[in-house]
Amino acid sequence: MLSTDRFAPTDTTYLDALNTNQRQAVEHGIGASVPGPLLVIAGAGSGKTNTLAHRVAHLMVNGADPRRMLLLTFSRRAATEMSRRVERIAARVLGVGSGAVTDALTWAGTFHGIGARLLREHARQIGLDPAFTIHDREDAADLMNLVRHELKLSETESRFPTKGTCLSIYSRVVNAQADLDEVLEKTFPWCAMWSAELRTLFGAYVAAKQAQNVLDYDDLLLYWAAMMDEPAIAQAVSDMFDHILVDEYQDTNRLQSAILLAMRPSGQGLTVVGDDAQSIYSFRAATVRNILDFPAAFKPHAEIVTLDRNYRSTQSILAAANAVIEQATERFTKNLWSERQSEAKPQLVTVKDGADQVGYIATSILEAREAGTPLKEQAVLFRTSSHSGPLEIELTRRNIPFVKFGGLKFLDAAHIKDMLAALRWVENPRDRVAGFRVLQLMPGVGPGTAGRVLDALDTSSDPVWALSEVPKPAKAGQHWTDLVTLFGRLSGREISWPLELSYVRQWYEPLLEAGYEDAHIRTADIIQLEQIASGYPSRDRFLTELTLDPPDATSDQPGVPLRDEDYLILSTIHSAKGQEWKSVHVLNVVDGCMPSDLGAGTTEELEEERRLLYVAMTRAKDELHLLVPQKFYVTQQSRHGDRHLYAQRTRFIPRSMTHLFDDVLWPPVTPVRADLVPSQPTRVDVAAKMRSMW
């Protein structure tokens, strides 16, 4: 049993590196028997992560039990980084004993990860089978499609939403805690005519999940929230933690906020950190209202600490960014400031068209490189991924290496999904999506045969026996016999984990070689999967963690290596959040792109587009270039079409704000001197010739 009573704050010099506001946030409620709720409004580049890590460590140093602290982040990486920072701070103060303290910080993770863990612990109390499996987005869409076909909604004469659209609608309804008709009207108006059918589909989808003992991503939050509606269970879960700390609170949805408020109705021991000006994920059902309404959710109101000192950008860049966000209709008052002074203002660069835009960027990037700014310290940001196409061509032409975020995910590869489906099916024989995938890998087994096999397993109390009694499909041959043997051995836990995965691979390899020309490459991926599996204590932990935190590795052999010491960063603004570079170029800062044509329908949408521009501007440390092309070619037309329109600078930077920027026209126009005007040539009356033709 770990005791933290012996740890005393013998040394508080570790707090000296914090500024006054940061220290106020770190020391909030220390020594109080019941610390009240705290909201930390952390501006861009204000040291948010460092402040939160210091608060966690400071609580530990002052006697808080790390096993009774819940730290919620939006990525596993963020939780890991937070734990490392806490360890470094604790090591400085506590010395040798720090490892024991930080190892005990076991409740650090994402909302979905913590939700999955709590659901397994309380499964019996809420009518769940603890052996449930978790569907990723693709598996959930496949199950939605199965139900869609069963209801014959795919056979309609007019266009019914695809499986992906249906899942997106379902997810939005769940996470936004909104009525289906409201979601259809606001977000999916082209699907509004199918309201009744979609309601039927979603009901059948939920029934299918329950029958198969599977949960999707949304269920991890939905079931957790429903669990907290039961006072006894809510009290038991709440009593597990003395302190709850939430990072990036502006990115939470209504469901996540409801969970937090149910766990801490009084706000006791609750700390949330975020920035309302960086709330840009409404497409994931995140709402800025959560952070704006947080202080008033408690009696007395939550204390607010504002971190407004920026350690990233120059004061001139911050002045422009502050002016943009000041126009917001509702926000926490916060004006970022910096001790980093610079006479150089951010640049508003007006160019004739898209070709000149990419020309300016390439030229500017090379000039900055020659002046001593490496390509890695420069970035080009854009509203949507498609905007970077012409730029990528120009960079390639000029031999400027670049990296753009994206690519095929490791777990999206067919052979990896096949392996994981086999494990999921063994873990949960009622998982029809996994069962369909595994059975149809074998020759002679189509949807009909697979359906009959799964029906037999559903009606039997002993799935292993039921599978062995199913008549062997003629064409499946030895593959079927080997599958029955494998299913039995893995279900009976005859093979220790992670050796189970190698047995699945041995069964799968003949099918892999028959189905893919690049089987040797895919086999290497599967061996890599086995190596990943060795880091998990059990099959269910492996499947859960891999679904909730999938790796980003690509599933192919590496191509020609980028043998260059340097490369430029291309990124969407959404992907750039949390990043910083010395020099930043922002593409297409014009109405129609920023705000997007699709993001100008309501006040809420416009405000989020304004926050997107603010996020883009605050990524820059020393130089900021906002590109304003005057001419746009109309998309969705025939190749090399000539239709174009003139664009205007984004409405988020009105004329009253332009004094905060340097106006740049590129390429510069050289006025024509009167004395250099060529003499007039001989005049020819062409008009008379035209008249004389008739």
Side-chain angles (χ1 to χ4, degrees), residues 491-542:
S491 296
R493 307 280 180 177
E494 297 178 17
I495 308 165
S496 62
W497 177 262
L499 199 58
E500 291 178 346
L501 205 55
S502 65
Y503 277 78
V504 177
R505 172 169 58 84
Q506 290 171 21
W507 170 79
Y508 179 61
E509 276 182 340
L511 298 168
L512 183 70
E513 291 170 2
Y516 299 99
E517 292 182 0
D518 57 347
H520 65 288
I521 298 174
R522 297 174 185 264
T523 302
D525 284 342
I526 295 172
I527 293 170
Q528 183 186 356
L529 187 69
E530 291 179 35
Q531 293 172 342
I532 295 170
S534 63
Y536 295 90
S538 64
R539 184 204 302 158
D540 65 314
R541 281 284 300 275
F542 170 70

Side-chain angles (χ1 to χ4, degrees), residues 48 54 95 216 227 256 375 513 516 642 658:
K48 165 182 68 68
H54 272 81
D216 58 26
M227 187 168 73
Q256 290 162 327
L375 294 179
E513 291 170 2
Y516 299 99
D642 289 329
T658 53

Side-chain angles (χ1 to χ4, degrees), residues 611-665:
R611 294 193 294 269
L612 265 172
L613 177 59
Y614 174 80
V615 168
M617 293 173 69
T618 52
R619 299 311 96 196
K621 294 192 302 190
D622 300 330
E623 296 180 15
L624 175 63
H625 309 254
L626 304 182
L627 279 297
V628 185
Q630 294 179 310
K631 183 189 289 187
F632 269 100
Y633 286 94
V634 179
T635 58
Q636 307 301 324
Q637 63 178 356
S638 59
R639 189 173 177 84
H640 306 306
D642 289 329
R643 288 183 60 216
H644 67 271
L645 52 86
Y646 283 101
Q648 61 180 3
R649 184 181 65 240
T650 176
R651 69 190 73 179
F652 303 140
I653 305 178
R655 183 180 297 178
S656 60
M657 209 181 288
T658 53
H659 68 281
L660 298 169
F661 300 84
D662 283 334
D663 264 326
V664 177
L665 182 65

